[in-house]
Structures are given as C-alpha cells and as structure tokens.
Amino acid sequence: KAGVTQTPRYLIKTRGQQVTLSCSPISGHRSVSWYQQTPGQGLQFLFEYFSETQRNKGNFPGRFSGRQFSNSRSEMNVSTLELGDSALYLCASTEMTGGISGTQYFGPGTRLLVL
Amino acid sequence: QKEVEQNSGPLSVPEGAIASLNCTYSDRGSQSFFWYRQYSGKSPELIMFIYSNGDKEDGRFTAQLNKASQYVSLLIRDSQPSDSATYLCAVPNQAGTALIFGKGTTLSVSS
C-alpha cells in the first residue's frame, strides 16, 4: 500500500495570509490526525477526523480548522497566519479497530515558513 | 489531560553500547504505549508498541512497561550511529482517537 502523502512539502507565506494543507491517508484508513511540530513545543495535536467528522480538537485557536472528505482525504487550513505558525505540520493515518486508535503512520509533513 | 514526560537529552552513548530511553505518563489507566523514531528533518516512524506489563523485544529494540510505576522504557542494544535520532513516546488520548506525544529524547551514538 502507498503511504501517507502530504502536499505541498514546503510552503512560504507572509503574515496575514492563509494556507491550506492536504493529506491523503493510507488506503482503507478512515482516521486522519493533524499535528504541529516546533522545536520548542514538540508534537502537538491539532485535530482528528473520522468518517468526515471531527472527533477531537487540540488546544489551538480557531484560526486552525480542518475537514475530511468522503474519500478520507483531509485538509487543514490556517487563516491569518502569524510568525509563530512556522512549523512542520504532520498528518497521521490510523486504521481504527472498533473505533479505537491503532498505530498511527505519519506522512512526510509540510514545512511552513511564515515571514 | 494525559501527559507524557521524557528527558530531552541529549543522551550520548558509544557505538555498541546499550541506550536506555525512559518515558513516564500521568494517566494510570493508559493501556497502550508507542515508541517512534524521528530523524532530523523527517517525520516520525513507528518502532514498536507495547500493551502488557513486562518486556517486548523486536530485533535490537526492547520496550519495557511498568504500569505500577507508570513508566515505559526503550532499550537499544548494540547501538549504531544510524540510531542517532529523537525518540518519541506516545499514549492514546482519553477517547482513544489520537496520540499524546512526549517531547522526545535525542540520542547520539558516536563511532
């Protein structure tokens, strides 16, 4: 099976702009999670989608949003970008068993730089 | 809110030695634990997971779980320079729908 794919891999934006990142999970995986990784804070959970529904959300402002499509592909959007949003954004695909998270497989990430 | 704590390191060991990485967790009810490895500039990759008390071995890697003391450790035998990376410990969140990660321990293996 193909792995998790994320596009774009690199992105440079300026403050105030918005950005949309895309993630395609492993075929058959219906759960997609998003994480932000920065040197100081480590891996922080943004949100998780399962069957087009957001089931969990981390402690991030409303500028961070996401959605999932019927084919399990997911997008996340960050509006009104701030310098502190510069980070590696990781998408993880999970094969759910009985609604409970199994092993998460990460995509290569999108590195966002906000100038 | 579940928490996972790891010593950030760096942990430095010579080639061929045993590297011991530790992780403590706050929720006594946590049932499963995951170890990921992340090379600089790359995404995390799963090394192994453990559900039961005791040891689980996979090649040069051994995960040890002690639920009474609420810690899980990862031992790397015959450490190689290629093992130099950041090792992340994770537990599922309360709903079991996502993982909560520690900040990771950086391991450096010198040849």
Side-chain angles (χ1 to χ4, degrees):
Chain A
K1 284 184 180 179
V4 181
T5 59
Q6 291 187 246
T7 56
R9 294 292 311 278
Y10 303 92
L11 208 49
I12 299 176
K13 292 285 188 179
T14 57
R15 282 182 299 173
Q17 288 187 308
Q18 75 165 16
V19 65
T20 299
L21 312 180
S22 180
C23 170
S24 292
I26 293 170
S27 178
H29 288 192
R30 295 161 62 190
S31 170
V32 174
S33 300
W34 288 90
Y35 296 85
Q36 180 196 66
Q37 188 174 37
T38 58
Q41 297 299 318
L43 261 171
Q44 291 188 289
F45 171 68
L46 280 158
F47 28 65
E48 186 258 354
Y49 287 88
F50 178 75
S51 293
E52 302 178 65
T53 300
Q54 185 185 92
R55 297 195 297 180
N56 282 104
K57 189 177 187 333
N59 190 25
F60 278 82
R63 300 185 297 107
F64 292 82
S65 63
R67 59 177 175 169
Q68 187 180 34
F69 302 95
S70 58
N71 62 357
S72 295
R73 190 177 70 85
S74 178
E75 290 181 346
M76 68 162 283
N77 184 77
V78 187
S79 62
T80 318
L81 284 166
E82 300 178 358
L83 296 179
D85 297 333
S86 295
L88 178 66
Y89 290 88
L90 291 161
C91 165
S93 163
T94 310
E95 183 177 8
M96 306 301 292
T97 302
I100 301 299
S101 179
T103 302
Q104 292 196 347
Y105 298 92
F106 284 87
T110 295
R111 190 165 294 279
L112 171 66
L113 176 62
V114 182
L115 301 176
Chain B
Q1 173 74 2
K2 292 189 178 185
E3 292 184 351
V4 178
E5 298 288 337
Q6 294 182 258
N7 188 324
S8 62
L11 173 65
S12 298
V13 301
E15 184 175 359
I18 296 176
S20 178
L21 304 155
N22 298 313
C23 169
T24 59
Y25 56 95
S26 62
D27 185 354
R28 190 172 288 278
S30 293
Q31 296 293 317
S32 54
F33 306 86
F34 298 81
W35 281 102
Y36 285 80
R37 176 177 62 198
Q38 186 174 26
Y39 291 112
S40 180
K42 302 294 184 181
S43 61
E45 57 179 329
L46 180 72
I47 298 176
M48 61 193 308
F49 57 86
I50 186 167
Y51 295 102
S52 305
N53 258 343
D55 296 359
K56 179 181 179 182
E57 187 174 317
D58 184 0
R60 296 186 297 111
F61 298 93
T62 299
Q64 299 177 319
L65 174 59
N66 185 322
K67 290 188 176 181
S69 300
Q70 294 179 235
Y71 80 79
V72 57
S73 60
L74 180 69
L75 301 180
I76 306 174
R77 290 183 301 281
D78 188 24
S79 295
Q80 301 297 309
S82 59
D83 294 325
S84 298
T86 296
Y87 290 81
L88 301 162
C89 173
V91 300
N93 65 357
Q94 200 71 37
T97 55
L99 290 178
I100 298 172
F101 286 84
K103 291 191 177 181
T105 298
T106 300
L107 173 66
S108 176
V109 181
S110 56
S111 56

Tab-separated table of all heavy atoms in Angstrom, chain A residues 43, chain B residues 1-7 22-27 30 32-35 70-72 87-93 99-104:
chain	number	residue	atom	x	y	z
A	43	LEU	N	5.602	17.749	19.388
A	43	LEU	CA	4.444	17.373	18.580
A	43	LEU	C	3.165	17.713	19.334
A	43	LEU	O	2.885	17.132	20.378
A	43	LEU	CB	4.458	15.868	18.317
A	43	LEU	CG	4.981	15.365	16.997
A	43	LEU	CD1	5.110	13.845	17.025
A	43	LEU	CD2	4.042	15.759	15.880
B	1	GLN	N	-6.223	15.739	31.592
B	1	GLN	CA	-5.396	15.761	30.396
B	1	GLN	C	-4.185	14.844	30.618
B	1	GLN	O	-3.419	15.034	31.550
B	1	GLN	CB	-4.928	17.182	30.098
B	1	GLN	CG	-3.921	17.310	28.969
B	1	GLN	CD	-4.554	17.135	27.589
B	1	GLN	OE1	-5.747	16.955	27.464
B	1	GLN	NE2	-3.736	17.150	26.562
B	2	LYS	N	-4.063	13.860	29.765
B	2	LYS	CA	-2.925	12.953	29.891
B	2	LYS	C	-1.646	13.684	29.551
B	2	LYS	O	-1.619	14.549	28.674
B	2	LYS	CB	-3.088	11.772	28.926
B	2	LYS	CG	-4.235	10.838	29.270
B	2	LYS	CD	-4.169	9.610	28.388
B	2	LYS	CE	-5.274	8.643	28.733
B	2	LYS	NZ	-5.149	7.387	27.962
B	3	GLU	N	-0.578	13.309	30.242
B	3	GLU	CA	0.728	13.890	29.956
B	3	GLU	C	1.765	12.798	29.836
B	3	GLU	O	1.682	11.766	30.507
B	3	GLU	CB	1.129	14.866	31.064
B	3	GLU	CG	0.259	16.122	31.104
B	3	GLU	CD	0.746	17.108	32.151
B	3	GLU	OE1	1.626	16.753	32.936
B	3	GLU	OE2	0.222	18.225	32.183
B	4	VAL	N	2.731	13.075	28.979
B	4	VAL	CA	3.837	12.148	28.766
B	4	VAL	C	5.124	12.938	28.928
B	4	VAL	O	5.295	13.979	28.302
B	4	VAL	CB	3.766	11.528	27.357
B	4	VAL	CG1	4.954	10.607	27.123
B	4	VAL	CG2	2.460	10.771	27.169
B	5	GLU	N	6.021	12.456	29.771
B	5	GLU	CA	7.255	13.162	30.063
B	5	GLU	C	8.456	12.351	29.608
B	5	GLU	O	8.534	11.148	29.842
B	5	GLU	CB	7.371	13.422	31.568
B	5	GLU	CG	6.268	14.306	32.145
B	5	GLU	CD	6.416	15.755	31.722
B	5	GLU	OE1	7.544	16.160	31.370
B	5	GLU	OE2	5.408	16.486	31.735
B	6	GLN	N	9.379	13.036	28.963
B	6	GLN	CA	10.628	12.415	28.542
B	6	GLN	C	11.774	13.381	28.826
B	6	GLN	O	11.604	14.594	28.710
B	6	GLN	CB	10.626	12.115	27.039
B	6	GLN	CG	9.638	11.082	26.596
B	6	GLN	CD	9.760	10.840	25.090
B	6	GLN	OE1	8.954	11.340	24.296
B	6	GLN	NE2	10.767	10.058	24.699
B	7	ASN	N	12.919	12.843	29.163
B	7	ASN	CA	14.122	13.642	29.304
B	7	ASN	C	14.585	14.032	27.906
B	7	ASN	O	14.765	13.173	27.050
B	7	ASN	CB	15.207	12.823	30.011
B	7	ASN	CG	16.415	13.665	30.346
B	7	ASN	OD1	16.794	14.556	29.590
B	7	ASN	ND2	17.018	13.391	31.479
B	22	ASN	N	13.773	6.624	28.560
B	22	ASN	CA	12.673	6.475	29.502
B	22	ASN	C	11.537	7.452	29.255
B	22	ASN	O	11.745	8.553	28.728
B	22	ASN	CB	13.193	6.657	30.929
B	22	ASN	CG	14.222	5.617	31.287
B	22	ASN	OD1	14.031	4.434	31.057
B	22	ASN	ND2	15.350	6.057	31.826
B	23	CYS	N	10.357	7.045	29.699
B	23	CYS	CA	9.150	7.836	29.487
B	23	CYS	C	8.216	7.576	30.662
B	23	CYS	O	8.020	6.425	31.051
B	23	CYS	CB	8.523	7.394	28.165
B	23	CYS	SG	6.857	7.997	27.839
B	24	THR	N	7.672	8.627	31.249
B	24	THR	CA	6.672	8.453	32.296
B	24	THR	C	5.351	9.056	31.819
B	24	THR	O	5.334	9.972	30.995
B	24	THR	CB	7.096	9.132	33.605
B	24	THR	OG1	7.288	10.532	33.373
B	24	THR	CG2	8.368	8.516	34.145
B	25	TYR	N	4.257	8.532	32.333
B	25	TYR	CA	2.946	9.006	31.899
B	25	TYR	C	2.069	9.255	33.109
B	25	TYR	O	2.254	8.665	34.173
B	25	TYR	CB	2.289	8.001	30.934
B	25	TYR	CG	2.142	6.600	31.482
B	25	TYR	CD1	0.964	6.188	32.086
B	25	TYR	CD2	3.192	5.691	31.379
B	25	TYR	CE1	0.822	4.901	32.579
B	25	TYR	CE2	3.063	4.413	31.869
B	25	TYR	CZ	1.885	4.014	32.469
B	25	TYR	OH	1.754	2.740	32.968
B	26	SER	N	1.100	10.133	32.928
B	26	SER	CA	0.329	10.607	34.075
B	26	SER	C	-0.924	9.771	34.349
B	26	SER	O	-1.344	9.649	35.510
B	26	SER	CB	-0.078	12.064	33.855
B	26	SER	OG	-0.911	12.166	32.706
B	27	ASP	N	-1.525	9.211	33.307
B	27	ASP	CA	-2.808	8.522	33.467
B	27	ASP	C	-2.598	7.037	33.754
B	27	ASP	O	-2.157	6.288	32.880
B	27	ASP	CB	-3.657	8.701	32.211
B	27	ASP	CG	-5.058	8.112	32.350
B	27	ASP	OD1	-5.348	7.467	33.386
B	27	ASP	OD2	-5.863	8.301	31.419
B	30	SER	N	-3.860	4.359	31.281
B	30	SER	CA	-3.328	4.163	29.927
B	30	SER	C	-3.025	2.694	29.697
B	30	SER	O	-2.470	2.015	30.560
B	30	SER	CB	-2.061	5.001	29.731
B	30	SER	OG	-2.364	6.382	29.759
B	32	SER	N	-1.965	1.394	26.297
B	32	SER	CA	-1.018	1.098	25.219
B	32	SER	C	-0.024	2.240	25.070
B	32	SER	O	-0.325	3.387	25.388
B	32	SER	CB	-1.772	0.869	23.899
B	32	SER	OG	-2.607	1.961	23.614
B	33	PHE	N	1.148	1.870	24.592
B	33	PHE	CA	2.255	2.814	24.544
B	33	PHE	C	3.032	2.602	23.251
B	33	PHE	O	3.243	1.459	22.834
B	33	PHE	CB	3.170	2.616	25.760
B	33	PHE	CG	2.412	2.674	27.045
B	33	PHE	CD1	1.797	1.541	27.542
B	33	PHE	CD2	2.271	3.871	27.734
B	33	PHE	CE1	1.050	1.581	28.709
B	33	PHE	CE2	1.533	3.929	28.901
B	33	PHE	CZ	0.916	2.791	29.393
B	34	PHE	N	3.425	3.704	22.665
B	34	PHE	CA	4.072	3.652	21.361
B	34	PHE	C	5.428	4.357	21.431
B	34	PHE	O	5.583	5.381	22.091
B	34	PHE	CB	3.199	4.338	20.309
B	34	PHE	CG	1.860	3.689	20.106
B	34	PHE	CD1	0.814	3.942	20.972
B	34	PHE	CD2	1.649	2.826	19.052
B	34	PHE	CE1	-0.432	3.347	20.801
B	34	PHE	CE2	0.414	2.226	18.852
B	34	PHE	CZ	-0.623	2.485	19.736
B	35	TRP	N	6.399	3.799	20.715
B	35	TRP	CA	7.695	4.446	20.538
B	35	TRP	C	7.893	4.750	19.057
B	35	TRP	O	7.760	3.858	18.209
B	35	TRP	CB	8.830	3.560	21.020
B	35	TRP	CG	9.006	3.554	22.512
B	35	TRP	CD1	8.607	2.598	23.396
B	35	TRP	CD2	9.665	4.561	23.292
B	35	TRP	NE1	8.964	2.954	24.670
B	35	TRP	CE2	9.613	4.151	24.642
B	35	TRP	CE3	10.297	5.778	22.989
B	35	TRP	CZ2	10.162	4.903	25.676
B	35	TRP	CZ3	10.839	6.529	24.015
B	35	TRP	CH2	10.766	6.088	25.346
B	70	GLN	N	4.246	3.497	36.357
B	70	GLN	CA	3.835	4.391	35.275
B	70	GLN	C	5.001	4.862	34.426
B	70	GLN	O	5.167	6.067	34.186
B	70	GLN	CB	3.029	5.585	35.823
B	70	GLN	CG	1.703	5.147	36.419
B	70	GLN	CD	0.894	6.315	36.982
B	70	GLN	OE1	0.511	6.293	38.147
B	70	GLN	NE2	0.644	7.302	36.174
B	71	TYR	N	5.834	3.921	34.032
B	71	TYR	CA	6.884	4.297	33.093
B	71	TYR	C	7.033	3.209	32.042
B	71	TYR	O	6.723	2.039	32.254
B	71	TYR	CB	8.218	4.567	33.795
B	71	TYR	CG	9.034	3.348	34.167
B	71	TYR	CD1	9.799	2.671	33.216
B	71	TYR	CD2	9.071	2.893	35.481
B	71	TYR	CE1	10.555	1.563	33.558
B	71	TYR	CE2	9.821	1.789	35.824
B	71	TYR	CZ	10.561	1.129	34.868
B	71	TYR	OH	11.312	0.027	35.222
B	72	VAL	N	7.511	3.659	30.905
B	72	VAL	CA	7.816	2.752	29.804
B	72	VAL	C	9.186	3.150	29.284
B	72	VAL	O	9.517	4.335	29.216
B	72	VAL	CB	6.733	2.813	28.704
B	72	VAL	CG1	6.544	4.216	28.168
B	72	VAL	CG2	7.036	1.852	27.586
B	87	TYR	N	13.731	10.154	19.885
B	87	TYR	CA	12.793	9.066	20.162
B	87	TYR	C	11.604	9.616	20.935
B	87	TYR	O	11.760	10.248	21.982
B	87	TYR	CB	13.496	7.943	20.930
B	87	TYR	CG	14.483	7.234	20.048
B	87	TYR	CD1	15.756	7.780	19.815
B	87	TYR	CD2	14.150	6.048	19.392
B	87	TYR	CE1	16.652	7.150	18.963
B	87	TYR	CE2	15.045	5.412	18.547
B	87	TYR	CZ	16.287	5.981	18.328
B	87	TYR	OH	17.179	5.361	17.477
B	88	LEU	N	10.424	9.372	20.400
B	88	LEU	CA	9.189	9.903	20.941
B	88	LEU	C	8.350	8.791	21.551
B	88	LEU	O	8.136	7.754	20.937
B	88	LEU	CB	8.376	10.583	19.822
B	88	LEU	CG	9.058	11.746	19.102
B	88	LEU	CD1	8.368	12.013	17.775
B	88	LEU	CD2	9.040	12.989	19.958
B	89	CYS	N	7.867	9.063	22.745
B	89	CYS	CA	6.965	8.154	23.436
B	89	CYS	C	5.552	8.712	23.309
B	89	CYS	O	5.369	9.937	23.346
B	89	CYS	CB	7.394	8.072	24.913
B	89	CYS	SG	6.309	7.163	25.996
B	90	ALA	N	4.549	7.849	23.148
B	90	ALA	CA	3.181	8.337	22.967
B	90	ALA	C	2.175	7.391	23.603
B	90	ALA	O	2.390	6.170	23.641
B	90	ALA	CB	2.865	8.510	21.480
B	91	VAL	N	1.075	7.973	24.071
B	91	VAL	CA	-0.044	7.192	24.594
B	91	VAL	C	-1.315	7.700	23.938
B	91	VAL	O	-1.387	8.868	23.555
B	91	VAL	CB	-0.178	7.309	26.129
B	91	VAL	CG1	1.083	6.815	26.808
B	91	VAL	CG2	-0.498	8.722	26.552
B	92	PRO	N	-2.335	6.859	23.791
B	92	PRO	CA	-3.601	7.340	23.231
B	92	PRO	C	-4.264	8.340	24.167
B	92	PRO	O	-4.094	8.274	25.389
B	92	PRO	CB	-4.442	6.059	23.110
B	92	PRO	CG	-3.452	4.955	23.084
B	92	PRO	CD	-2.332	5.411	23.973
B	93	ASN	N	-5.032	9.266	23.604
B	93	ASN	CA	-5.772	10.205	24.427
B	93	ASN	C	-6.953	9.496	25.093
B	93	ASN	O	-7.176	8.306	24.901
B	93	ASN	CB	-6.235	11.407	23.607
B	93	ASN	CG	-7.237	11.046	22.515
B	93	ASN	OD1	-7.565	9.868	22.328
B	93	ASN	ND2	-7.720	12.043	21.801
B	99	LEU	N	-3.024	10.326	19.506
B	99	LEU	CA	-1.894	10.043	20.380
B	99	LEU	C	-1.400	11.320	21.037
B	99	LEU	O	-1.377	12.385	20.423
B	99	LEU	CB	-0.746	9.404	19.594
B	99	LEU	CG	-0.975	7.980	19.091
B	99	LEU	CD1	0.239	7.496	18.290
B	99	LEU	CD2	-1.258	7.030	20.240
B	100	ILE	N	-0.994	11.192	22.289
B	100	ILE	CA	-0.348	12.281	23.011
B	100	ILE	C	1.128	11.951	23.081
B	100	ILE	O	1.503	10.871	23.584
B	100	ILE	CB	-0.931	12.436	24.416
B	100	ILE	CG1	-2.415	12.788	24.326
B	100	ILE	CG2	-0.181	13.508	25.197
B	100	ILE	CD1	-3.131	12.773	25.654
B	101	PHE	N	1.957	12.841	22.579
B	101	PHE	CA	3.389	12.587	22.495
B	101	PHE	C	4.163	13.326	23.573
B	101	PHE	O	3.802	14.434	23.986
B	101	PHE	CB	3.931	13.051	21.141
B	101	PHE	CG	3.565	12.156	19.988
B	101	PHE	CD1	2.360	12.293	19.345
B	101	PHE	CD2	4.443	11.170	19.566
B	101	PHE	CE1	2.021	11.450	18.290
B	101	PHE	CE2	4.125	10.342	18.510
B	101	PHE	CZ	2.902	10.481	17.876
B	102	GLY	N	5.240	12.688	24.037
B	102	GLY	CA	6.228	13.394	24.814
B	102	GLY	C	7.060	14.251	23.880
B	102	GLY	O	6.931	14.163	22.654
B	103	LYS	N	7.929	15.086	24.446
B	103	LYS	CA	8.716	15.987	23.605
B	103	LYS	C	9.927	15.297	22.983
B	103	LYS	O	10.618	15.878	22.156
B	103	LYS	CB	9.139	17.214	24.403
B	103	LYS	CG	7.950	18.107	24.750
B	103	LYS	CD	8.373	19.443	25.312
B	103	LYS	CE	7.150	20.317	25.558
B	103	LYS	NZ	7.500	21.652	26.087
B	104	GLY	N	10.171	14.073	23.414
B	104	GLY	CA	11.224	13.304	22.774
B	104	GLY	C	12.565	13.401	23.459
B	104	GLY	O	12.878	14.398	24.115
